[in-house]
């Protein structure tokens, strides 16, 4: 009986202890579960608040743009300067230039009823930005809403839209008086468009203002636990505004376990200390070895991979692509105008430019791209991509936009361009050496095509490169054999059409091929370095022949490469003496491009040439920068209006007003004006009325040989020389 009682008592105690243990476990489990449920609920509440706050932030972002748009569109001055008394200067000042550094909008456009842009500005700078291609189709929905507002609503609409620059809040509003009236027919209505991009900076500001942690813009297919979709007017989801959950419940929950974590930490400290001592020593040795290896593969000036490092990485990419079946893209970049920066500002500035370009390429290229400097001003970018052609196109556009802006280096402003060629190794099939050669060929094609562009390699470049080399070889032989000739196009006085001079034009009849266009062989001469010899030969012929034509001016085009030659002024002086040509009758024509990149040297060279007695003519005015500052600074003896301004006369009053203003500008600076490219009598009459004092063009005479000019001079017998005009 007692034994049974002890057993029952032990069982009772064990059962009781077990029960208490189970109860304690259940209680602990319930407490832990309760805390977990509380934490989960707190997290859910906080996420819901953040979601509503984020949605409100987006609405406020759009509404701010709408309110700003209303202020600018419903504006009496705007209606007057756009409809009643069109004033483009007012529109640019109050709409276009206001987009610079504005927190409220970064794109301003004024469009007509047909959707064509009357004004396009981005960040305070005029841009060519077709509405249909820059914005997604939902913009048309907003335009239609603004055109057909509901009764009692303003002719305005706003929403979100995808642009080529990202996602933006956009608003469309009819330009009208403050009271809503408008006194022009609907066909003449103009609409104001403001766009405000959701940039990283603006999203950061929203995050800080609305106290939503880690707010960022994500793609539509990006996985995200917390997001608010951004949709356009057509209901298409453009992206997501995501944020990082603060998870306050988890923070509270974690406070329960600090001692547990401390205990676990103490357990591992001892072993961690023993392990770390040996590990640190090994890592230091490995780190030193890796630094030495990396330094041997890096370019010291730019910090990028050097040629060896780039080629090694390129081999790795090709090997990887052969396994993953992705493509390897190799882009070769050459800076246009880098030599001019070195010549003008010194090699120290040139080195800083190289470092600046390196930093820019790192920022613009994908994170996994391999970037190298392979020569003085040549760079390369290599990466694996599923759609390498599209990647090359997109990255090329980004880089070209980067180089389109002037670069500030210390106190100097450097304007350089970039020629890009690229080649693709499909699934890693093309070996490294071939890929490098293809990209190099494409880069040189980009330079030959006019620089500042991105060109893909194709198989015809091999053959064309060979033809180019043959053309260079034949041109060199022709120059050495003195086979190039000069044709002369008359320059006539505007008031009486008397021939007062000639422009010397180079001609080449290639043996076995026939005549070669001047723009072709002169371009070859400039890229191959033959331009100096070619220029001397043409100048010698022109001076020698023109010296026989009394009181007839001779005008010669000068390549920027010739102008950069330190011995160019000495060459001109020698040829004047050799030919007996009167320096006062010689005009050297140059374009604005060299002035932009080499202001100081250009000023010095022009002064030395004018000291010889020759005249300096600014050619193609109106086709480039057309800066009044250059006209004042360099003291040109004559200005030659580009033929594009002449042909534009057929486009209407705006072109006429622009041309008339250009001539008036030159006349106000007491610079005589020559108009070239005149092909019709009505053009000559109009330009004479505008104030041009000299003409050139097929209407007055096509280029002729020296023999024809001498024959005409003999026939004139002291009378004003006349050449038959050809329409």
């Amino acid at each position: 009986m007692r034994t049974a009682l002890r057993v029952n008592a032990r069982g009772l105690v064990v059962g009781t202890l077990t029960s208490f243990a189970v109860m304690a476990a259940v209680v602990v489990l319930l407490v832990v579960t309760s805390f977990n449920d509380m934490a989960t609920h707190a997290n859910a509440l906080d996420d819901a608040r953040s979601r509503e706050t984020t949605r409100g932030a987006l609405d406020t972002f759009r509404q701010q743009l709408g309110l700003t748009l209303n202020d600018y569109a419903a504006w009496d001055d705007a209606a007057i300067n756009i409809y009643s008394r069109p004033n483009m200067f007012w529109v640019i000042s109050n709409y276009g230039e206001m987009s610079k550094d504005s927190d409220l909008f970064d794109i301003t456009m004024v469009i007509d009823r047909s959707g064509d842009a009357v004004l396009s500005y981005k960040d305070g700078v005029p841009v060519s930005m077709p509405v249909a291609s820059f914005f997604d189709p939902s913009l048309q929905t907003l335009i239609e809403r603004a055109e057909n507002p509901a009764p009692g609503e303003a002719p305005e609409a706003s929403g979100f839209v995808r642009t080529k620059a990202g996602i933006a809040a956009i608003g469309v509003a009819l330009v009208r008086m403050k009271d809503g009236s408008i006194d022009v027919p609907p066909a003449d209505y103009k609409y104001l468009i403001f766009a405000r991009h959701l940039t990283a900076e603006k999203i950061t500001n929203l995050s800080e203002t609305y106290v939503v942690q880690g707010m960022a813009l994500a793609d539509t297919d990006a996985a995200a636990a917390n997001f608010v979709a951004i949709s356009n007017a057509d209901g298409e989801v453009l992206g997501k505004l995501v944020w990082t959950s603060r998870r306050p419940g988890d923070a509270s929950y974690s406070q329960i376990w600090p001692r547990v974590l401390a205990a676990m930490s103490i357990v591992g400290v001892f072993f961690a200390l023993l392990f770390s001592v040996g590990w640190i020593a090994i890592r230091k040795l490995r780190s030193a070895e890796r630094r030495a290896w990396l330094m041997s593969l890096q370019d010291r000036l730019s910090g990028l991979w050097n040629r060896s490092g780039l080629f090694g990485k390129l081999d790795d990419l090709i090997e990887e692509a052969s396994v993953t079946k992705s493509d390897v893209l190799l882009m070769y970049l050459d800076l246009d105008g880098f030599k001019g920066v070195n010549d003008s500002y010194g090699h120290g500035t040139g080195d800083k430019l190289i470092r600046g370009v390196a930093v820019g390429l790192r920022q613009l290229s994908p994170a996994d791209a391999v970037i190298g400097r392979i020569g003085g001003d040549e760079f390369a970018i290599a990466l694996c991509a599923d759609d390498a052609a599209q990647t090359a196109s997109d990255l090329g556009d980004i880089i070209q936009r980067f180089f389109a802006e002037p670069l500030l280096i210390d106190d100097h402003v450097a304007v350089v361009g970039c020629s890009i060629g690229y080649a693709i190794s499909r699934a890693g099939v093309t070996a490294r050496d071939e890929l490098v050669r293809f990209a190099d060929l494409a880069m040189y094609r980009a330079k030959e095509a006019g620089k500042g562009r991105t060109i893909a390699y194709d198989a015809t470049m091999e053959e064309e490169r060979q033809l180019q080399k043959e053309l260079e070889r034949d041109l060199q032989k022709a120059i050495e054999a003195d086979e190039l000739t000069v044709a002369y196009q008359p320059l006539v006085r505007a008031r009486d059409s008397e021939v007062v001079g000639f422009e010397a034009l180079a001609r080449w009849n290639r043996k076995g091929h026939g005549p070669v266009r001047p723009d072709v062989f002169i371009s070859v001469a400039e890229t191959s370095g033959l331009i100096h010899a070619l220029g001397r030969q043409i100048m010698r012929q022109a001076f020698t022949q023109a010296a026989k034509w009394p009181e007839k001016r001779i005008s010669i085009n000068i390549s920027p490469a010739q102008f950069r030659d330190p011995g160019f002024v000495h060459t001109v002086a020698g040829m004047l003496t050799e030919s007996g040509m009167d320096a006062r009758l010689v005009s050297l024509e140059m374009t604005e491009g060299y002035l932009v990149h080499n202001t100081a040297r250009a000023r010095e060279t022009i002064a030395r040439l004018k000291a010889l007695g020759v005249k300096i003519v600014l050619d193609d005015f109106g086709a480039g920068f057309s800066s009044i500052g250059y006209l004042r600074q360099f003291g040109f003896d004559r200005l030659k209006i580009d033929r594009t301004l002449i042909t534009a006369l057929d486009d209407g009053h705006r072109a006429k007003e622009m041309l008339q203003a250009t001539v008036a500008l030159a006349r106000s600076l007491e610079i005589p004006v020559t108009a070239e490219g005149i092909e019709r009598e009505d053009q000559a009459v109009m330009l004479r009325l505008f104030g041009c004092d000299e003409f050139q063009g097929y209407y007055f005479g096509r280029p002729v040989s020296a023999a024809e000019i001498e024959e005409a001079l003999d026939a004139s017998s002291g009378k004003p020389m006349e050449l038959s005009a050809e329409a």
Side-chain angles (χ1 to χ4, degrees), residues 566-578:
F568 177 66
V569 177
H570 179 73
T571 299
V572 174
M575 289 189 179
L576 287 171
T577 303
E578 177 186 333

Side-chain angles (χ1 to χ4, degrees), residues 285-439:
L285 179 60
R286 289 179 177 175
S287 178
E289 292 174 347
R290 181 170 179 79
R291 282 198 302 270
W293 175 73
L294 287 175
M295 287 180 64
S296 70
L297 299 178
Q298 288 181 334
D299 175 62
R300 293 186 178 181
L301 177 60
S302 65
L304 303 176
W305 296 107
N306 59 21
R307 182 181 291 269
S308 298
L310 174 73
F311 287 177
K313 290 290 184 180
L314 189 55
D315 287 336
D316 294 341
L317 291 176
I318 291 175
E319 182 178 353
E320 176 187 346
S322 65
V323 176
T324 62
K325 302 305 177 184
S326 58
D327 298 335
V328 177
L329 168 66
L330 177 62
M331 304 179 74
Y332 262 34
L333 298 79
D334 184 84
L335 303 186
D336 303 326
F338 176 75
K339 184 178 183 301
V341 174
N342 264 346
D343 292 345
S344 300
Y345 305 135
H347 290 281
T349 300
D351 289 347
K352 291 180 180 179
L353 174 60
I354 291 295
R355 286 193 286 268
V357 169
V359 172
L361 293 180
R362 282 197 190 101
Q363 295 294 323
L364 299 174
S365 302
D368 59 346
V370 177
I371 309 173
R373 180 180 177 227
I374 54 179
D377 61 344
E378 293 185 6
F379 298 82
I381 301 173
L383 67 154
C384 284
D386 293 329
D387 188 352
Q390 186 61 48
T391 300
S393 177
D394 295 341
L395 183 55
D397 290 343
I398 293 172
I399 294 173
Q400 294 293 3
R401 288 197 295 271
F402 170 74
F403 282 101
E405 298 294 331
L407 302 176
L408 181 62
I409 306 173
D410 293 334
D411 295 329
H412 306 298
V413 176
V415 181
V416 294
C418 183
S419 296
I420 305 175
Y422 68 88
I424 300 171
S425 176
R426 301 292 182 187
V429 172
T430 306
R432 181 245 291 170
D433 291 341
E434 285 292 285
L435 188 62
V436 167
R437 187 166 62 86
F438 294 162

Side-chain angles (χ1 to χ4, degrees), residues 134-462:
F134 188 81
F135 300 97
D136 73 39
S138 70
L139 175 61
Q140 186 58 41
T141 302
L142 295 176
I143 293 174
E144 291 173 1
R145 291 180 185 175
E147 290 177 341
N148 303 288
E153 292 185 359
E156 300 175 357
S158 64
F160 286 92
V161 67
R162 182 178 296 283
T163 76
K164 289 194 173 181
I167 298 175
I170 191 164
V172 183
L174 174 65
V175 178
R176 60 198 187 278
M177 300 292 283
K178 183 70 175 178
D179 60 5
S181 63
I182 184 168
D183 59 357
V184 296
D188 294 334
Y189 282 3
K190 301 294 188 298
Y191 291 86
L192 176 62
I193 295 177
F194 280 172
R196 183 188 188 192
H197 281 86
L198 275 169
T199 62
E201 180 182 359
K202 288 186 173 63
I203 292 174
T204 299
N205 291 338
L206 289 176
S207 178
E208 294 173 354
T209 301
Y210 291 92
V211 197
V212 177
Q213 182 178 344
M215 190 181 291
L217 189 63
D219 293 333
T220 56
D221 56 354
N226 300 300
F227 70 92
V228 171
I230 304 173
S231 302
N232 63 19
D234 293 335
E236 177 189 359
V237 177
L238 306 176
K240 300 176 180 178
L241 200 56
V242 302
W243 66 90
T244 303
S245 175
R246 296 184 303 175
R247 303 190 70 80
D250 289 353
S252 301
Y253 185 76
S254 63
Q255 293 178 3
I256 302 173
W257 307 102
R259 294 183 181 181
V260 176
L261 296 177
M264 294 176 62
S265 300
I266 293 173
V267 172
V269 166
F270 180 74
F271 294 100
L273 288 173
L274 291 177
F275 180 80
S276 62
V277 171
W279 179 250
I280 290 173
I282 294 173
R283 286 188 62 186
K284 285 183 177 179
L285 179 60
R286 289 179 177 175
S287 178
E289 292 174 347
R290 181 170 179 79
R291 282 198 302 270
W293 175 73
L294 287 175
M295 287 180 64
S296 70
L297 299 178
Q298 288 181 334
D299 175 62
R300 293 186 178 181
L301 177 60
S302 65
L304 303 176
W305 296 107
N306 59 21
R307 182 181 291 269
S308 298
L310 174 73
F311 287 177
K313 290 290 184 180
L314 189 55
D315 287 336
D316 294 341
L317 291 176
I318 291 175
E319 182 178 353
E320 176 187 346
S322 65
V323 176
T324 62
K325 302 305 177 184
S326 58
D327 298 335
V328 177
L329 168 66
L330 177 62
M331 304 179 74
Y332 262 34
L333 298 79
D334 184 84
L335 303 186
D336 303 326
F338 176 75
K339 184 178 183 301
V341 174
N342 264 346
D343 292 345
S344 300
Y345 305 135
H347 290 281
T349 300
D351 289 347
K352 291 180 180 179
L353 174 60
I354 291 295
R355 286 193 286 268
V357 169
V359 172
L361 293 180
R362 282 197 190 101
Q363 295 294 323
L364 299 174
S365 302
D368 59 346
V370 177
I371 309 173
R373 180 180 177 227
I374 54 179
D377 61 344
E378 293 185 6
F379 298 82
I381 301 173
L383 67 154
C384 284
D386 293 329
D387 188 352
Q390 186 61 48
T391 300
S393 177
D394 295 341
L395 183 55
D397 290 343
I398 293 172
I399 294 173
Q400 294 293 3
R401 288 197 295 271
F402 170 74
F403 282 101
E405 298 294 331
L407 302 176
L408 181 62
I409 306 173
D410 293 334
D411 295 329
H412 306 298
V413 176
V415 181
V416 294
C418 183
S419 296
I420 305 175
Y422 68 88
I424 300 171
S425 176
R426 301 292 182 187
V429 172
T430 306
R432 181 245 291 170
D433 291 341
E434 285 292 285
L435 188 62
V436 167
R437 187 166 62 86
F438 294 162
D440 191 60
L441 280 172
M443 181 191 71
Y444 278 100
R445 168 57 59 82
K447 292 180 72 68
E448 293 165 0
K451 304 180 180 179
R453 60 193 66 204
T454 303
I455 291 183
Y457 166 82
D458 66 68
T460 62
M461 290 182 181
E462 298 272 13

